[in-house]
Amino acid sequence: MNKNQKLAEWLELRIPYDAKGRNSIVEASCQEYLKKRKSLKIVDLGAGTGANCRYYLSKISQDQEWFLVEQNQELLEIALNRLIMWAQENRYDSQLQNSTLVLKNQVYKITIHRIVGSILDLENLIDLNTFDLAVANAVFDLFSEKQFQTFLECLKKYQLPLLATINYTGTNFLPQTEDDSYFIKYYNQHMQRQQDFGRGMGPDCGSYMWEAMKHINMKVLQGESPWEISSNDSVFLQLMLRFMEESIPEILEEITLQDKLNTWLLKKQQMIAQKKLSCNVTHQDFWGYWE
Ligand SMILES: C[S@@+](CC[C@H](N)C(=O)[O-])C[C@H]1O[C@@H](n2cnc3c(N)ncnc32)[C@H](O)[C@@H]1O
């Protein structure tokens, strides 16, 4: 399995947690805002394997035209296959017309375009004047403050509303054990490490997104969207630990801390095997629009 296939597998595993976590008040407010439109044209930013688009497809009772914008071409190819499977499962006819996917049932028509490119180049990829909504799931914690601000300025120019869900704010294991806060701090710091574009917002994205959206005069509704991972889901818990195992050593200042980390990870693995560990991952959802 290559890196993208592994990422695709992770994105699929998190779907039920995202679905349960999404803030229903934030979502309902967005639906209310859009309900009078006959059809909707939506851009899904950082679309990955299309999980966010698939989530909304059956929630929307209008004809829909989607543009999936994603920088990783391989993920978008996987998205196509998964959308075709979604159509079969939900009794839609699907047709590929050039590279556009057209889904139809007796009532609705859904058109889905895939665009390989960066969210930061959005204006040059699509005509933003013609869109009703931008959505993004689990994306903006990866952005730096500056990138998010640049992106918001683009939204402002076109008065395009934004529904941004599952923005990471923290991790808590239950029960807590010694050194949890220590290594979770490193895990969060890893998200904010220096990269070629600057530092990702990571767990600080919630407060920054709120301030930045307010600052450009958007009306903003914010709500919590937690994942509650039970001790029965050992596959998911193991994957979370693997992310920590791979990321934390990159930023440990002292080599001796690696032993301490290994001991902590081993203890967590034992607790998972005994079904004695569960985990809460906190996130925030945002609905921002213009009056
Ligand atoms: C955690 S994944 C979420 C994928 C999808 N939204 C979902 O809910 O499953 C974040 C995605 O954002 C994409 N991404 C990050 N920065 C991007 C950018 N500047 N332009 C386009 N895609 C970006 C990544 O390639 C990745 O597929």
Side-chain angles (χ1 to χ4, degrees):
M1 214 188 264
N2 73 23
K3 205 173 149 212
N4 284 329
Q5 287 162 339
K6 274 192 194 156
L7 177 56
E9 191 183 51
W10 162 249
L11 294 178
E12 213 59 21
L13 279 177
R14 50 180 288 166
I15 288 177
Y17 290 108
D18 282 2
K20 210 163 168 215
R22 287 167 191 263
N23 188 284
S24 56
I25 297 169
V26 171
E27 186 175 291
S29 176
C30 172
Q31 278 176 329
E32 178 67 23
Y33 179 92
L34 297 168
K35 73 174 183 201
K36 293 216 174 88
R37 307 197 187 186
K38 240 181 110 199
S39 62
L40 292 180
K41 191 165 172 182
I42 304 172
V43 55
D44 184 12
L45 306 162
T49 56
N52 199 31
C53 169
R54 278 181 276 143
Y55 172 80
Y56 290 120
L57 287 182
S58 42
K59 293 228 153 203
I60 298 174
S61 313
Q62 282 129 311
D63 283 345
Q64 302 162 50
E65 184 172 13
W66 284 83
F67 287 71
L68 310 188
V69 173
E70 168 56 55
Q71 64 191 5
N72 183 326
Q73 181 165 11
E74 201 175 332
L75 292 186
L76 272 188
E77 280 160 21
I78 299 171
L80 176 66
N81 294 329
R82 297 204 170 149
L83 283 160
I84 292 172
M85 275 167 58
W86 180 92
Q88 279 166 1
E89 285 159 12
N90 291 276
R91 296 166 181 248
Y92 274 77
D93 287 333
S94 62
Q95 258 191 7
L96 202 53
Q97 298 177 357
N98 298 320
S99 63
T100 299
L101 183 64
V102 181
L103 311 180
K104 278 186 194 162
N105 66 10
Q106 277 101 337
V107 191
Y108 299 120
K109 179 179 178 192
I110 301 170
T111 311
I112 304 169
H113 311 265
R114 286 162 298 137
I115 298 177
V116 181
S118 171
I119 297 163
L120 295 162
D121 193 29
L122 204 55
E123 275 186 298
N124 300 318
L125 301 175
I126 50 180
D127 179 3
L128 288 171
N129 279 309
T130 63
F131 280 77
D132 298 292
L133 175 68
V135 296
N137 189 65
V139 173
F140 292 123
D141 43 64
L142 301 170
F143 272 39
S144 68
E145 290 181 1
K146 192 160 173 245
Q147 286 177 320
F148 186 65
Q149 202 178 338
T150 306
F151 162 72
L152 281 186
E153 271 152 23
C154 175
L155 289 190
K156 183 176 182 178
K157 191 162 153 194
Y158 298 92
Q159 300 280 291
L160 188 60
L162 172 69
L163 179 59
T165 47
I166 314 289
N167 302 289
Y168 175 85
T169 56
T171 302
N172 300 290
F173 287 110
L174 301 166
Q176 275 188 4
T177 55
E178 210 191 339
D179 294 335
D180 276 14
S181 56
Y182 190 71
F183 287 115
I184 289 169
K185 192 181 81 197
Y186 272 112
Y187 180 58
N188 288 340
Q189 278 175 0
H190 182 265
M191 297 178 204
Q192 298 177 317
R193 72 199 179 284
Q194 187 64 45
Q195 298 184 72
D196 52 4
F197 60 84
R199 293 180 187 276
M201 289 188 277
D204 295 335
C205 69
S207 48
Y208 187 77
M209 286 174 74
W210 169 264
E211 288 299 328
M213 289 167 85
K214 283 279 187 198
H215 190 70
I216 58 159
N217 298 323
M218 266 182 149
K219 291 274 161 204
V220 192
L221 184 65
Q222 174 267 334
E224 301 298 316
S225 46
W227 287 353
E228 282 164 19
I229 305 151
S230 104
S231 56
N232 288 323
D233 196 347
S234 40
V235 172
F236 202 85
L237 290 166
Q238 287 288 4
L239 266 174
M240 288 188 56
L241 267 199
R242 180 140 37 97
F243 289 135
M244 293 181 172
E245 187 176 0
E246 287 169 0
S247 59
I248 294 172
E250 283 182 31
I251 58 159
L252 282 181
E253 302 102 355
E254 294 167 42
I255 197 85
T256 49
L257 287 175
Q258 182 68 49
D259 287 343
K260 198 172 167 183
L261 172 65
N262 292 344
T263 309
W264 180 75
L265 288 168
L266 189 64
K267 172 90 184 136
K268 286 274 171 288
Q269 274 149 5
Q270 286 164 348
M271 290 171 80
I272 293 173
Q274 295 162 357
K275 300 207 182 302
K276 285 188 177 156
L277 187 71
S278 59
C279 183
N280 290 342
V281 182
T282 54
H283 307 93
Q284 291 183 3
D285 291 357
F286 293 88
W287 162 232
Y289 59 98
W290 313 90
E291 275 189 335

